[in-house]
Amino acid sequence: MRPRISIVVPTFSIDQPLERNLERWTALEVVADISIILVGGQEGEAVSSSLARYCDRVPFDRPSDWVGRDANARRSLGLQRALERHSPDFVLMTDRKVAPTQGALDCIARWIWLADPEFPGALAGHYRDTTQRSSLWANFLARYADHSLVRKNPDFGQEGYLLSLENDCEGDSWPVTGALMFTRATARLLHEAGGFPKEFKVSYEDYSTVRLLIERGVEIDCHPGFLVEHANRNSLRDFAREYLRTGWAAAQFRRAFPQSEFGRRRLFQAQISMLALFLGAVLLVLAPLYAVGLGVLALVAFGLLNAWRSGLPEAMLFGPVFAMCLVAFAAGYGLYLIRQGRLGSFEGRLLFQA
């Protein structure tokens, strides 16, 4: 009997990029029977006739007091629909803006051939920005997301690794929900645990889900061959807001998972960033010329370190962007501590332009 795969997509609307991405996922039909669960979308929209036979539309209504993201709420609803109606052997979580490479499809095909649906395991992928833009500045920022010291996108390298309770190697390159595949046993375990952590409305919904699975004994194979294409933000304003969200969510993650080495490292990074900003402000008041000189040296040092680590000469210019991101990260972390996790209208406007 052919295995069955349910592909869950938490979408806000159905548009051409989603159509193209879904068409690439349907290549899995060669090795399995697939169903696509679209959670959300606007009334009156429909997928093309070629995709309609795969798709199961699930309505989603935001609550009246909604503030923040609802991606995890949509994922939980899609997971529930998959288990109740489609009886899958495997569940693939993806996003509307994610498209698989041929390597990702081959990796999934091998994994479902070897994996036991009743074993609590998962296969994780990682992002790369492969979109070429007309603006040189936008392309520069996209490369920054993949090659900076604080990467927006994970990188499993050439070897990959296994995340589990016994091998809890929490590096900076953690799996992302937009490229995560479960066995049936893992999908049921997550559903019984209440689904994807809905309290992460700002960011880190990926990390919170992965940590939840690890603590319940799931082994996650982070495979370098599972590579997906992904369009990153490409303006300084978007990057600043992204790292502001990251700082807020890092503090939330540390509070939710105090035993996590990843959370402890993020706490240390936030403390160092805030201390550096404080000392810089004091020095700017006492000795402005020294402060400016030290700031320039720090930017050059950040750039050289980025260039050395990434192997890209142009990464020397990442220094100012990196510094801006550190400031936003520290501000977001401090904002969460001040608000103690309450996401109000001010935070909603600041983080989401709501």
Side-chain angles (χ1 to χ4, degrees):
M1 180 181 293
R2 282 161 56 89
R4 295 183 298 275
I5 300 175
S6 287
I7 303 174
V8 178
V9 186
T11 181
F12 297 89
S13 63
I14 298 175
D15 54 15
Q16 290 183 351
L18 174 63
E19 287 268 347
R20 291 194 297 268
N21 294 342
L22 290 182
E23 287 175 356
R24 295 173 71 172
W25 285 115
T26 58
L28 291 172
E29 191 181 31
V30 175
V31 296
D33 296 328
I34 65 172
S35 57
I36 301 174
I37 294 94
L38 299 175
V39 185
Q42 299 175 1
E43 291 296 328
E45 292 182 320
V47 295
S48 63
S49 57
S50 62
L51 287 173
R53 63 191 181 96
Y54 298 105
C55 294
D56 180 2
R57 290 282 299 276
V58 181
F60 181 87
D61 296 319
R62 286 173 172 166
S64 57
D65 59 347
W66 174 85
V67 177
R69 296 179 177 177
D70 50 33
N72 270 359
R74 293 170 184 260
R75 291 186 178 106
S76 296
L77 187 58
L79 179 65
Q80 179 180 350
R81 175 67 70 95
L83 292 174
E84 290 178 351
R85 294 196 180 183
H86 300 277
S87 301
D89 298 300
F90 303 95
V91 177
L92 171 63
M93 309 302 303
T94 186
D95 289 330
R96 61 193 299 270
K97 57 188 177 182
V98 170
T101 62
Q102 186 58 50
L105 297 173
D106 294 340
C107 184
I108 290 174
R110 288 192 300 269
W111 190 72
I112 64 174
W113 177 260
L114 298 173
D116 180 358
E118 295 302 329
F119 178 79
L123 178 69
H126 55 129
Y127 288 159
R128 271 295 171 271
D129 192 311
T130 57
T131 305
Q132 290 298 314
R133 301 170 177 85
S134 57
S135 167
L136 292 176
W137 176 242
N139 281 320
F140 172 80
L141 290 176
R143 289 172 71 82
Y144 165 82
D146 284 341
H147 298 288
S148 68
L149 288 175
V150 183
R151 294 184 179 92
K152 280 182 75 271
N153 292 339
D155 183 2
F156 296 163
Q158 299 298 318
E159 301 296 331
Y161 55 90
L162 184 71
L163 277 175
S164 66
L165 284 175
E166 291 73 24
N167 184 29
D168 197 1
C169 53
E170 298 185 17
D172 281 322
S173 294
W174 259 34
V176 287
T177 315
L180 192 58
M181 192 164 188
F182 306 141
T183 61
R184 178 171 57 234
T186 301
R188 288 174 177 169
L189 184 152
L190 181 59
H191 177 62
E192 292 168 359
F196 296 82
K198 300 180 182 62
E199 65 272 20
F200 284 81
K201 296 181 179 180
V202 175
S203 187
Y204 275 36
E205 63 271 18
D206 304 296
Y207 296 157
S208 62
T209 300
V210 169
R211 185 69 208 183
L212 180 68
L213 293 175
I214 291 173
E215 293 187 348
R216 281 160 176 75
V218 176
E219 292 186 352
I220 303 176
D221 180 9
C222 301
H223 199 288
F226 191 170
L227 179 64
V228 298
E229 298 174 351
H230 174 258
N232 280 314
R233 295 169 177 83
N234 48 40
S235 73
L236 280 177
R237 181 180 180 182
D238 287 340
F239 268 105
R241 181 169 285 108
E242 180 70 20
Y243 279 91
L244 190 68
R245 293 172 181 166
T246 297
W248 174 288
Q252 183 183 11
F253 184 88
R254 170 66 177 164
R255 185 175 182 179
F257 303 103
Q259 302 305 315
S260 169
E261 179 60 32
F262 179 86
R264 284 194 290 269
R265 186 165 59 255
R266 282 292 186 259
L267 172 62
F268 175 75
Q269 291 169 347
Q271 291 171 338
I272 291 296
S273 299
M274 287 187 283
L275 178 61
L277 291 175
F278 174 76
L279 294 178
V282 172
L283 186 61
L284 188 62
V285 172
L286 299 178
L289 291 179
Y290 284 107
V292 171
L294 188 61
V296 171
L297 287 176
L299 293 179
V300 173
F302 284 148
L304 290 174
L305 191 56
N306 269 300
W308 173 68
R309 285 194 56 177
S310 66
L312 298 174
E314 65 269 28
M316 290 184 62
L317 302 177
F318 290 164
V321 182
F322 181 60
M324 180 204 69
C325 291
L326 283 181
V327 171
F329 175 78
Y333 205 103
L335 183 63
Y336 178 90
L337 298 180
I338 293 172
R339 294 290 294 173
Q340 295 181 346
R342 295 184 301 243
L343 188 63
S345 59
F346 170 74
E347 288 79 14
R349 289 192 299 271
L350 184 63
L351 297 172
F352 302 105
Q353 293 182 301

